[in-house]
Amino acid sequence: MGQEQEHLVNTKVERTLDLVSHLPKEIISVTFENRGTKSARYYDYCVEPQHVNDVGYVGAIVRGKNSGDQTNLPIKQETTDKTKGTIYRIELPNDLRSSQTITLEIEVVHINALRLLPTEIVQHERQLVLYKTNAYYYSKYSTQTQKTIVTLPTDRAESYTQAPKPVAKNEQTITYGPYENVAALTRNEISLHYENNNPFLTVNNMKRWIEVSHWGNIAVEETIEMYHSGAKLKGPFSRLDFQRQQNSYSAVKTFKTSLPAAAKDIYYRDEIGNVSTSSVREMHDQVEIEIRPRFPLYGGWNTYYVLGYNVPSYQYLFNKGNQYVLKMRLIDHVYDDQLLEQVTIKIVLPEYVHNIEFYPSMHDTDIKRLRNEKHYTYLDTIGRSVIVITKRNALFQHIQDFEIHYTFDKIMLLHEPMLIIFSLFGLFCFVIILNRLNFSINHEENNEIRIRIKGIWNQLMEHNIKRTSFYQKLDELLNTFKTNKDLKIYNEQRKKFENELKRIEQNFNNLQTKIKADSVETAEKIAEFQQLDAEQRKITQLLCGNTEKLVNGKIKKQAHGDEEQNLRLKIRDINTRISTILNQY
Amino acid sequence: MTTVNDNSSEYITNSSSSSSAGLKSLITVIILICVCISGFISRLFSIIRFESVIHEFDPWFNYRSTVYMTDNGFYNFLNWFDDLAWYPLGRIVGGTVFPGLMVTSGAIHWFFHMINIPIHIREICVFLAPIFSGLTALATYLLTKELWSKRAGLFAAAFIAIAPGYSSRSVAGSYDNEAIAIFALIFTYYLWIRSIKTGSIFWSSCTALSYFYMVSAWGGYVFIINLIPVHVGFLLLLGRYSLRLYVSYSIFYILGLILSMQIPFVGFQPVRTSEHMIAAGIFILLQAYTFFDYLYNKLRYVRNIETIFFNLSVIISIIVFAIVVLLTYTGYIAPWSGRFYSLWDTSYAAKHIPIIISVSEHQPTTWTSFFFDLHLLICLYPVGAWFCVKDLNDERVFILLYAVFASYFAGVMIRLMLTLTPCVCILAAIALSKTLDYYADAESSEMVSNFDDSVSICDETENDENNQDLDNNAENIDETDDDDQNFLTSNIKIIVVTCIAMMLLLFIVHCTWITATAYSSPSIVLVSYNSDGTRAIVDDYREAYYWLRQNTPEKARIMSWWDYGYQIAGMSNRTVLVDNNTWNNSHIALVGKAMASNETEAYKIMTMLDVDYILVIFGGVIGFSGDDINKFLWMVRIAEGEHPKDIKEKNYFNENKEYRVDKSGSPILFNCLMYKLCYYRFGELYTDSAQPSGFDRTRSVEIGHKNFDLEHVEEAYTSANWIVRIYRVKKLSNRFQAKDALEKSTSSLSEESFEKNHRKGVILNKPHVKKGTKKSIHRT
């Protein structure tokens, strides 16, 4: 703490205190002058001792210059002093030389600063809160002129401190001041008791899971435990009153979450399934989800949900050769005026990634990085590296980018497809080998004989089919012969068929001799079969002879018909006997 | 997808004689894969329409125990004492549950996580039933193949894959014992048929193992352990005894007995209850028969030996029967349980156990639901049975017995349609296959069809040494259509085949439609249709259950009717008094009594039972018929069964003996807790613009008793469509704060009177729900 700092003087301070949401937001526009001799490098912003734990965010920008380039100034939190409070040291963009002035705009967000009074309300009551603050700008330096403008959510204020004068209330705003020449570290507490029905939503635990794939996708999943931190609901909840919409002031029915514009495959669910009450609106720069919890949230009520989506990786993942950079938001928008009490971010990088370096945003100082974890998912062998980061009390102002630098050999992209290919290949090889091994306990010949007999039977069947078809053809031939009486063709054909049949018979003989060694029983059956076959041939020949006679006119039609009927019956009988033999098998 | 299957199975019948064995088995495999896939896909309607979520009531308990098992391990699961159920008694889950379902999905979960696939256990549970119905189709194919032929097997597989009678209990999300049990049932039967065909120890041991799986999965294992002995007994009667039968039954019975006793829930029941005594009796009889058979073979020369043996067998069977009766009488063997009794005497349950009859799936089946669930198959089924009778052998006796018993049981209880369905599919497939053998074949004269039979049999062997002339043959056979030999012209054949194909197509349409409309509703998510035809999801159950989960103390005890017990425990993770495992009738009756009593009486019971919240289902606002007012008479009846002095059913009827909630209703009904909880402040609500306030849309009446206050309970939460209403039981008021309380009550009174002036208006855009829900599920 340099000596020269003491010579700074706040020439003009304008405080705007925004009490509309559940997070009181102060925007302090400070114009100060260096009345010392040496140039100043820092400006110290002080917080009263009783509000030390309330401060969620302090940010400062230089005001009035080119408004386009308003980067946050680096701020360092100094040690806390019990009597003076905490000091935030704001580094000025360039040294403030003697008698120069500069205007800073300091933004301070207070968390948990509102006291609920009463702490419990019934369904139709309005929510009242009490806020205590300093009437003056609390500063290490003396202040020449200052003014505080308080904005309330409604024009209803139960009470507000009327001193120090002048105090003016105009609808939603209360103006304290202007006050002249206030000494350094002056405190004058004022309290405001007013109505605030804006959503008092607080996320007490949020887990953000970012899974990076080199195949072009980044999956984000947020698991959110949320509660209504306003005045607790006392007594019954009546759906009837709620549906009339007259008097459910403090209940939260819906809120909006914005996701990146490229987000797709969005899901919103909880432990027991999909929450069917939500709508998605795609806008050109973001996707807006209107989240409607399963039930309206009253004071003290909790809910829990999981919101997930995919974004294409080309927007966030950049590489040059094997060097990769992942640049995306550490936390994202959950709802307006968000307060995330405990956030855990886990970033899952692909397998075989090394030289991981994590760079948080410049201004994000209070994040904590824990030890890396391992995560196993589809087709993983050595596990993926997970970077774990925690943060407390994240606000809207903390939505900032982080960067992760790592190295990844591109050839490893082929690792997973290869894994599938080789395991399938191995499986097939295994089955092929397994199929060719014999695991039977008794390696006996019986089995082989059985197979051989089976084969013989099969052949027999085949031949039988042929045989019947030839007989049928012969039959047809006879019929045609009967009508056209062309002896030449008939004889030709008949000879052909009979030759064929003879060949088949030969085959039967072969089969019989083959099987004799293995099974006498089968051989006998085949012999029986052959006998039947021979009989059939005989009958067929008879039939042929008869037909020839008929054609030549040697017998009468009537006699021939009877004879034929008779013979055909016999053939049918033979056929059934043959099929019983075959069916026995 | 399904049309493809049936057509291709027809194709195979066409080409059976002309294709090589390799091609044939390839086509068979492709058809079976298609059947499995179509069976799987046709069960996903609920996921496409809604989401991947567990359905109904019992599946929520199964899901919760599966999650418990995957989190805590199998042994902890067996020792799990569930303190969320049956407050203050609790439930020993390991000993009162069939663990097969949980173990199956747990094993799948374990396997996937072993190979680093981080699938959530819920997805496994949701998809388990469709996956197993694919396996059931395979098992049915195998069984039918053993019973008849491969072609019939393909038909049977295609039928079972899509038959509504089976898909009703196996759609995605219906995570219940039946989901895996039907597979186990059919597979056990297949192995049994296989083992009596071969007489091999290997197959009968496999049967016993599969039976063990079935025992671990479902109480319906009793069907197996009775049907198989009956089969054995019938074979003995028919004189079809063989050593194969002896080996397979003896091995199956002993191994199956020992294995089934390893399931904690079954324990010593197989040796101590009447349901299992047929198996034991047949076992003893079979041993005796075998012994006599042995002696008979040795002593064949003795005269009149047959008569002696016949008499001895009769005496032994009488003795065995007498011993069983005696043991039952002396109490060593438990008599038949009430649930089993109600299968024989349908009026038994109505008289003695109202809690069984109150479940709508335990009602007798109407004939329409046979057609509804089986369509074409129910007509083909007797034909198939007739074909089996005509051409009887050992295994066809089995399917006939199965058909007879399953038909009887399906007629008694709507729920047992499930066991009938596979049998119907098999027999219908046999009928169809046999018919198509005649009509769809190119060669159809009697002679050739005989050959064809033999050809199809020998095709099963995989010997393809001499296929060289096959094509030749096919051509030759095609030319054999002789007009004088055939009474069937090809035109008739084409017409018949076309008709059959048309009917099969209609069957597919019917199955798909039934599965999609009737059986694919998760029942925890309802659907209503707005006037412009858009679909609105009514998600009240989950809304309220989730509210309970998030916003009540962790140890809060919820009183509700038993139907919702599993859902509250599963979704809200809170203690319930009674649940769907209705083992303690008096506890349920106590809850019923609390619901049926007036508020003061009910408050006494509720303080006795430490009740913190009461949950009722009320459908009057949107016209949902499965609500507690419609179930209320069952509560009264069950309460009356235990407390006949305090609760009388007739008090809840008006003078005309009607149960009504309008002005003519009975005053006792108007003052009971259930009425008050359902209709609290309902009298101020306009549900229909054309009707006065307090118009109940489920029962289409204006309620009779409006504008009452609650004394001992207060409204804690009511869901968006008022379906679920939750009340908080107030603690006993402190006497010393009487002055304060008086002030408060006066102030609240004045507020209320102030509000009364503003109470007007109707709810905008309220959804309209179709009345009536899924028939077999909604309990009345």
Side-chain angles (χ1 to χ4, degrees):
Chain A
M1 203 178 280
Q3 191 64 35
E4 74 275 14
Q5 298 288 319
E6 305 300 326
H7 298 291
L8 295 179
V9 170
N10 300 321
T11 50
K12 190 178 172 218
V13 174
E14 199 166 291
R15 267 169 90 204
T16 322
L17 191 53
D18 181 358
L19 297 179
V20 172
S21 75
H22 67 127
L23 302 172
K25 196 162 80 179
E26 256 183 288
I27 293 170
I28 308 156
S29 154
V30 188
T31 312
F32 58 91
E33 191 183 348
N34 186 358
R35 299 216 171 140
T37 48
K38 289 176 185 167
S39 55
R41 287 205 48 79
Y42 306 106
Y43 178 81
D44 286 350
Y45 170 73
C46 303
V47 178
E48 298 94 325
Q50 67 265 40
H51 293 305
V52 161
N53 294 324
D54 295 349
V55 178
Y57 173 79
V58 179
I61 50 172
V62 180
R63 196 183 177 185
K65 280 187 177 174
N66 40 351
S67 54
D69 176 39
Q70 289 193 330
T71 46
N72 279 326
L73 301 173
I75 297 173
K76 228 168 85 190
Q77 190 180 348
E78 297 287 316
T79 45
T80 308
D81 187 328
K82 277 224 170 117
T83 50
K84 285 182 185 167
T86 315
I87 291 170
Y88 291 86
R89 176 154 290 183
I90 302 165
E91 201 178 312
L92 298 177
N94 32 33
D95 289 2
L96 190 68
R97 263 171 275 146
S98 177
S99 75
Q100 263 187 327
T101 60
I102 190 169
T103 305
L104 289 185
E105 198 172 284
I106 305 169
E107 187 185 1
V108 185
V109 181
H110 297 273
I111 54 171
N112 303 326
L114 298 180
R115 233 184 80 209
L116 297 156
L117 197 74
T119 51
E120 286 187 337
I121 54 171
V122 295
Q123 190 180 353
H124 57 80
E125 272 179 339
R126 292 155 201 274
Q127 190 167 263
L128 297 175
V129 293
L130 185 71
Y131 181 61
K132 286 184 178 167
T133 185
N134 196 343
Y136 303 125
Y137 171 55
Y138 186 72
S139 174
K140 222 171 103 176
Y141 319 107
S142 58
T143 309
Q144 285 183 337
T145 126
Q146 61 170 299
K147 193 164 87 174
T148 302
I149 302 163
V150 183
T151 315
L152 300 179
T154 58
D155 54 357
R156 292 195 211 179
E158 292 280 307
S159 67
Y160 56 96
T161 312
Q162 305 275 357
K165 298 277 180 200
V167 181
K169 180 168 182 294
N170 182 15
E171 295 195 336
Q172 275 168 262
T173 54
I174 302 172
T175 315
Y176 286 89
Y179 306 115
E180 305 281 334
N181 294 330
V182 179
L185 301 175
T186 314
R187 280 188 247 160
N188 189 336
E189 195 169 75
I190 54 170
S191 65
L192 301 133
H193 191 199
Y194 62 97
E195 180 185 329
N196 190 343
N197 287 318
N198 287 309
F200 271 55
L201 280 181
T202 305
V203 173
N204 41 358
N205 200 347
M206 168 165 148
K207 293 197 181 86
R208 190 169 149 92
W209 179 269
I210 300 168
E211 201 168 328
V212 181
S213 160
H214 279 156
W215 296 90
N217 189 54
I218 296 176
V220 182
E221 185 177 278
E222 288 172 355
T223 310
I224 290 169
E225 283 169 38
M226 177 184 268
Y227 70 104
H228 187 294
S229 50
K232 289 198 167 61
L233 179 71
K234 175 176 73 178
F237 161 74
S238 167
R239 174 63 67 171
L240 187 73
D241 293 341
F242 179 77
Q243 276 169 336
R244 289 192 177 143
Q245 311 235 332
Q246 288 175 353
N247 45 20
S248 298
Y249 301 108
S250 61
V252 180
K253 288 154 209 127
T254 64
F255 55 88
K256 281 178 181 155
T257 296
S258 3
L259 306 179
K264 55 186 193 308
D265 312 331
I266 301 163
Y267 56 90
Y268 167 44
R269 53 178 301 132
D270 57 29
E271 290 137 308
I272 59 171
N274 183 37
V275 188
S276 41
T277 47
S278 59
S279 58
V280 174
R281 224 158 53 132
E282 280 184 34
M283 301 197 271
H284 68 280
D285 59 341
Q286 64 179 45
V287 174
E288 191 183 270
I289 304 187
E290 191 190 351
I291 288 198
R292 183 183 288 269
R294 287 192 190 272
F295 42 83
L297 287 173
Y298 276 90
W301 288 12
N302 304 301
T303 192
Y304 166 98
Y305 67 88
V306 177
L307 181 73
Y309 53 91
N310 288 331
V311 284
S313 65
Y314 65 83
Q315 294 186 341
Y316 304 98
L317 190 65
F318 311 96
N319 74 311
K320 187 177 179 191
N322 289 336
Q323 294 296 318
Y324 284 79
V325 174
L326 175 73
K327 185 172 189 234
M328 63 190 297
R329 283 178 174 179
L330 194 61
I331 54 167
D332 211 332
H333 178 263
V334 181
Y335 56 92
D336 296 337
D337 301 314
Q338 62 188 7
L339 170 59
L340 320 174
E341 288 181 341
Q342 175 71 43
V343 189
T344 311
I345 301 117
K346 291 190 177 180
I347 303 149
V348 185
L349 299 176
E351 259 187 325
Y352 304 107
V353 154
H354 47 275
N355 300 334
I356 304 165
E357 288 162 59
F358 175 77
Y359 301 102
S361 133
M362 286 276 285
H363 312 288
D364 234 348
T365 46
D366 58 340
I367 65 164
K368 221 158 87 185
R369 184 172 166 192
L370 306 180
R371 281 175 63 110
N372 281 7
E373 290 174 3
K374 282 275 175 205
H375 174 67
Y376 293 89
T377 178
Y378 301 98
L379 302 172
D380 282 355
T381 43
I382 61 160
R384 306 184 177 202
S385 306
V386 183
I387 293 163
V388 187
I389 291 146
T390 61
K391 183 170 168 58
R392 293 188 59 80
N393 294 330
L395 303 173
F396 178 75
Q397 284 80 0
H398 291 114
I399 299 176
Q400 267 152 1
D401 284 346
F402 69 90
E403 273 182 27
I404 290 179
H405 298 225
Y406 61 84
T407 319
F408 177 78
D409 289 330
K410 275 201 172 139
I411 193 80
M412 295 314 285
L413 266 180
L414 292 176
H415 173 253
E416 289 176 358
M418 282 301 160
L419 203 68
I420 297 177
I421 291 167
F422 280 109
S423 52
L424 280 180
F425 181 72
L427 184 76
F428 288 144
C429 286
F430 178 70
V431 171
I432 288 168
I433 293 165
L434 200 72
N435 248 346
R436 275 153 180 71
L437 294 179
N438 187 4
F439 289 101
S440 90
I441 306 170
N442 49 343
H443 181 67
E444 30 144 9
E445 286 169 40
N446 258 344
N447 218 10
E448 285 169 25
I449 289 173
R450 219 165 50 218
I451 290 171
R452 229 179 297 160
I453 294 174
K454 238 184 210 175
I456 296 284
W457 272 109
N458 281 345
Q459 287 181 31
L460 195 68
M461 304 276 181
E462 304 279 329
H463 290 308
N464 185 41
I465 292 169
K466 264 193 239 171
R467 194 183 64 89
T468 24
S469 70
F470 281 124
Y471 275 122
Q472 261 156 7
K473 277 185 185 166
L474 204 59
D475 231 23
E476 272 169 47
L477 187 68
L478 277 179
N479 280 340
T480 38
F481 176 59
K482 249 188 262 178
T483 44
N484 62 10
K485 301 184 179 177
D486 188 345
L487 193 65
K488 197 178 149 204
I489 296 176
Y490 164 72
N491 275 337
E492 224 169 73
Q493 293 274 331
R494 191 181 155 192
K495 196 137 278 170
K496 205 175 95 190
F497 288 143
E498 271 174 359
N499 283 341
E500 289 281 340
L501 282 169
K502 236 170 231 159
R503 225 182 50 214
I504 290 170
E505 203 200 344
Q506 195 60 41
N507 279 335
F508 284 143
N509 279 336
N510 289 345
L511 287 178
Q512 203 205 355
T513 43
K514 251 195 237 168
I515 207 70
K516 231 171 213 166
D518 292 330
S519 159
V520 184
E521 204 188 338
T522 318
E524 272 169 18
K525 269 184 195 157
I526 295 178
E528 201 187 331
F529 180 81
Q530 275 177 307
Q531 208 182 323
L532 286 168
D533 180 44
E535 236 174 87
Q536 190 175 1
R537 210 136 37 107
K538 225 180 271 169
I539 294 168
T540 317
Q541 268 165 5
L542 253 167
L543 209 62
C544 293
N546 277 349
T547 316
E548 276 164 39
K549 275 176 196 165
L550 178 76
V551 173
N552 296 340
K554 280 177 190 165
I555 53 170
K556 279 181 185 165
K557 218 171 189 177
Q558 184 65 37
H560 168 77
D562 288 349
E563 189 79 26
E564 193 180 348
Q565 195 80 35
N566 216 352
L567 292 175
R568 279 195 193 282
L569 272 177
K570 270 186 191 161
I571 290 184
R572 192 162 288 180
D573 184 46
I574 289 168
N575 267 328
T576 37
R577 275 163 72 191
I578 286 180
S579 43
T580 43
I581 290 177
L582 290 178
N583 280 344
Q584 270 173 7
Y585 170 67
Chain B
M1 183 56 70
T2 44
T3 45
V4 171
N5 298 335
D6 286 343
N7 291 341
S8 38
S9 47
E10 273 162 30
Y11 171 65
I12 196 160
T13 51
N14 278 329
S15 61
S16 61
S17 56
S18 61
S19 61
S20 69
L23 183 64
K24 198 168 165 180
S25 54
L26 179 70
I27 291 173
T28 310
V29 167
I30 289 173
I31 290 170
L32 284 177
I33 289 172
C34 290
V35 163
C36 288
I37 291 172
S38 61
F40 180 81
I41 288 175
S42 69
R43 283 164 171 80
L44 301 186
F45 280 110
S46 63
I47 290 188
I48 295 161
R49 296 227 180 122
F50 298 96
E51 60 183 278
S52 167
V53 72
I54 304 289
H55 292 187
E56 313 250 333
F57 303 96
D58 288 15
W60 274 100
F61 170 75
N62 297 328
Y63 173 59
R64 193 164 76 93
S65 15
T66 310
V67 171
Y68 186 88
M69 195 187 75
T70 48
D71 289 348
N72 298 291
F74 178 66
Y75 287 102
N76 284 325
F77 169 65
L78 281 186
N79 292 325
W80 182 25
F81 180 80
D82 181 11
D83 55 354
L84 292 192
W86 294 94
Y87 182 85
L89 308 163
R91 176 182 178 187
I92 304 157
V93 175
T96 57
V97 81
F98 289 105
L101 185 70
M102 296 95 193
V103 172
T104 307
S105 33
I108 296 172
H109 184 255
W110 171 82
F111 175 75
F112 275 125
H113 279 251
M114 193 185 69
I115 57 169
N116 289 333
I117 294 181
I119 187 165
H120 195 274
I121 184 73
R122 183 190 58 243
E123 309 298 341
I124 294 169
C125 293
V126 165
F127 286 99
L128 192 75
I131 290 168
F132 266 80
S133 44
L135 294 178
T136 308
L138 290 184
T140 313
Y141 166 73
L142 292 172
L143 177 58
T144 319
K145 195 185 91 185
E146 293 299 323
L147 289 171
W148 198 266
S149 69
K150 275 189 172 181
R151 302 177 213 181
L154 291 175
F155 268 122
F159 288 155
I160 192 80
I162 56 171
Y166 178 40
S167 60
S168 65
R169 308 225 126 230
S170 61
V171 292
S174 148
Y175 179 59
D176 213 342
N177 291 333
E178 288 93 327
I180 60 169
I182 294 301
F183 162 71
L185 182 85
I186 301 299
F187 197 63
T188 311
Y189 285 158
Y190 159 67
L191 291 169
W192 166 246
I193 294 295
R194 192 80 214 162
S195 60
I196 59 160
K197 264 186 155 177
T198 57
S200 96
I201 295 178
F202 171 72
W203 286 111
S204 30
S205 313
C206 287
T207 315
L209 280 176
S210 170
Y211 170 67
F212 173 58
Y213 184 60
M214 175 73 186
V215 175
S216 75
W218 194 34
Y221 76 89
V222 181
F223 187 49
I224 298 183
I225 201 61
N226 283 309
L227 188 61
I228 287 180
V230 166
H231 180 215
V232 174
F234 254 82
L235 289 180
L236 288 184
L237 272 183
L238 294 174
R240 287 175 172 272
Y241 169 81
S242 65
L243 210 56
R244 286 173 292 138
L245 185 68
Y246 175 71
V247 169
S248 43
Y249 184 67
S250 305
I251 300 235
F252 161 72
Y253 179 68
I254 293 299
L255 278 183
L257 183 73
I258 293 168
L259 287 172
S260 66
M261 284 162 74
Q262 309 306 310
I263 305 296
F265 190 29
V266 176
F268 279 92
Q269 279 180 34
V271 290
R272 300 205 55 174
T273 57
S274 298
E275 287 97 327
H276 300 79
M277 279 307 125
I278 297 176
I282 292 287
F283 178 69
I284 294 167
L285 206 66
L286 192 66
Q287 305 304 319
Y289 191 97
T290 312
F291 180 63
F292 289 142
D293 193 58
Y294 175 75
L295 283 188
Y296 176 72
N297 283 334
K298 295 280 173 197
L299 306 171
R300 211 176 286 187
Y301 52 86
V302 184
R303 200 181 294 165
N304 285 342
I305 190 80
E306 286 176 32
T307 340
I308 294 171
F309 278 145
F310 179 75
N311 291 341
L312 268 178
S313 319
V314 170
I315 288 167
I316 284 190
S317 30
I318 290 170
I319 289 172
V320 167
F321 185 71
I323 289 173
V324 169
V325 169
L326 194 73
L327 285 176
T328 314
Y329 195 69
T330 50
Y332 285 102
I333 296 172
W336 283 343
S337 63
R339 277 167 204 245
F340 206 67
Y341 255 129
S342 59
L343 284 181
W344 306 110
D345 180 5
T346 41
S347 60
Y348 176 84
K351 274 182 228 150
H352 298 95
I353 342 173
I355 204 157
I356 290 182
I357 208 78
S358 75
V359 180
S360 71
E361 62 182 27
H362 290 165
Q363 307 287 342
T365 319
T366 54
W367 68 268
T368 44
S369 66
F370 278 100
F371 184 76
F372 194 69
D373 276 359
L374 297 165
H375 193 247
L376 170 69
L377 305 183
I378 201 71
C379 313
L380 290 173
Y381 156 64
V383 183
W386 185 73
F387 281 138
C388 283
V389 172
K390 219 180 115 192
D391 198 2
L392 202 65
N393 59 19
D394 287 1
E395 55 268 22
R396 286 175 197 162
V397 172
F398 178 78
I399 192 73
L400 288 170
L401 287 171
Y402 182 8
V404 169
F405 282 102
S407 309
Y408 174 74
F409 291 136
V412 172
M413 217 183 247
I414 207 164
R415 184 182 170 186
L416 295 177
M417 269 314 267
L418 186 65
T419 49
L420 176 67
T421 308
C423 167
V424 169
C425 288
I426 291 168
L427 287 176
I430 288 172
L432 202 63
S433 159
K434 178 105 173 145
T435 315
L436 285 179
D437 278 351
Y438 280 106
Y439 290 101
D441 267 0
E443 73 271 33
S444 59
S445 71
E446 203 181 334
M447 181 182 75
V448 179
S449 71
N450 271 341
F451 290 130
D452 178 51
D453 271 356
S454 54
V455 168
S456 72
I457 288 167
C458 67
D459 267 352
E460 284 172 20
T461 65
E462 286 172 5
N463 188 329
D464 40 13
E465 274 176 35
N466 46 351
N467 285 329
Q468 61 264 25
D469 291 332
L470 274 177
D471 293 350
N472 251 342
N473 290 337
E475 282 167 25
N476 296 340
I477 287 166
D478 284 346
E479 291 162 19
T480 57
D481 272 6
D482 279 1
D483 289 349
D484 56 355
Q485 276 192 350
N486 290 338
F487 57 96
L488 296 169
T489 63
S490 55
N491 282 341
I492 290 180
K493 281 191 244 168
I494 287 170
I495 290 167
V496 169
V497 171
T498 318
C499 286
I500 289 175
M502 293 286 282
M503 284 198 293
L504 289 177
L505 283 175
L506 282 178
F507 173 67
I508 291 161
V509 171
H510 175 83
C511 290
T512 318
W513 178 71
I514 293 292
T515 312
T517 54
Y519 295 136
S520 291
S521 142
S523 93
I524 57 163
V525 186
L526 307 171
V527 162
S528 68
Y529 292 93
N530 298 331
S531 48
D532 56 344
T534 52
R535 220 171 61 122
I537 284 185
V538 179
D539 206 356
D540 279 38
Y541 282 103
R542 287 195 294 184
E543 175 189 341
Y545 290 146
Y546 205 62
W547 183 85
L548 277 177
R549 187 186 187 110
Q550 293 291 338
N551 297 311
T552 54
E554 210 170 302
K555 290 286 170 196
R557 291 158 290 260
I558 322 282
M559 181 171 92
S560 74
W561 191 234
W562 61 265
D563 292 20
Y564 317 109
Y566 279 165
Q567 289 188 345
I568 295 172
M571 284 191 254
S572 307
N573 203 19
R574 293 291 176 269
T575 312
V576 293
L577 271 72
V578 288
D579 66 26
N580 309 46
N581 176 33
T582 52
W583 62 279
N584 189 333
N585 197 34
S586 61
H587 211 55
I588 293 176
L590 206 55
V591 171
K593 188 187 171 189
M595 295 292 192
S597 313
N598 64 39
E599 221 188 318
T600 325
E601 280 300 310
Y603 189 63
K604 280 182 199 159
I605 299 173
M606 290 190 295
T607 37
M608 194 172 81
L609 293 172
D610 295 339
V611 175
D612 295 316
Y613 291 89
I614 318 168
L615 182 145
V616 292
I617 305 294
F618 171 62
V621 176
I622 57 160
F624 168 65
S625 64
D627 68 351
D628 276 349
I629 290 288
N630 279 355
K631 291 175 190 176
F632 183 55
L633 280 184
W634 287 111
M635 301 181 203
V636 173
R637 269 170 218 161
I638 290 165
E640 191 185 3
E642 296 277 331
H643 309 278
K645 279 185 193 161
D646 305 317
I647 306 291
K648 290 192 177 57
E649 191 183 346
K650 64 175 193 304
N651 290 344
Y652 295 85
F653 295 117
N654 63 10
E655 292 93 20
N656 303 329
K657 302 258 182 328
E658 285 170 324
Y659 171 65
R660 295 193 71 89
V661 293
D662 60 4
K663 284 211 168 57
S664 65
S666 99
I668 291 191
L669 174 69
F670 288 158
N671 279 312
C672 75
L673 186 68
M674 177 56 79
Y675 179 91
K676 282 193 164 178
L677 298 186
C678 284
Y679 290 116
Y680 177 61
R681 295 192 72 187
F682 182 68
E684 301 161 34
L685 183 76
Y686 287 89
T687 52
D688 204 323
S689 50
Q691 298 289 345
S693 70
F695 181 76
D696 185 329
R697 290 166 57 154
T698 306
R699 287 152 283 271
S700 300
V701 288
E702 186 192 348
I703 58 166
H705 184 42
K706 297 180 193 173
N707 300 329
F708 50 84
D709 269 326
L710 295 170
E711 191 183 349
H712 297 294
V713 295
E714 64 181 8
E715 190 176 2
Y717 189 75
T718 297
S719 63
N721 297 301
W722 291 51
I723 289 182
V724 186
R725 308 198 71 180
I726 301 168
Y727 291 84
R728 193 183 294 112
V729 179
K730 289 185 195 162
K731 295 292 157 218
L732 282 167
S733 51
N734 199 334
R735 293 180 71 173
F736 293 103
Q737 287 181 348
K739 204 178 155 193
D740 261 337
L742 199 71
E743 272 172 24
K744 263 182 202 164
S745 66
T746 47
S747 69
S748 68
L749 262 179
S750 61
E751 273 163 18
E752 247 172 58
S753 58
F754 164 72
E755 274 173 27
K756 262 174 194 157
N757 302 331
H758 296 271
R759 278 176 193 157
K760 268 201 178 109
V762 285
I763 307 163
L764 294 170
N765 302 327
K766 61 186 150 29
H768 299 249
V769 153
K770 255 196 327 187
K771 274 191 196 173
T773 49
K774 180 173 159 192
K775 214 176 176 186
S776 68
I777 289 320
H778 125 238
R779 293 140 207 247
T780 44

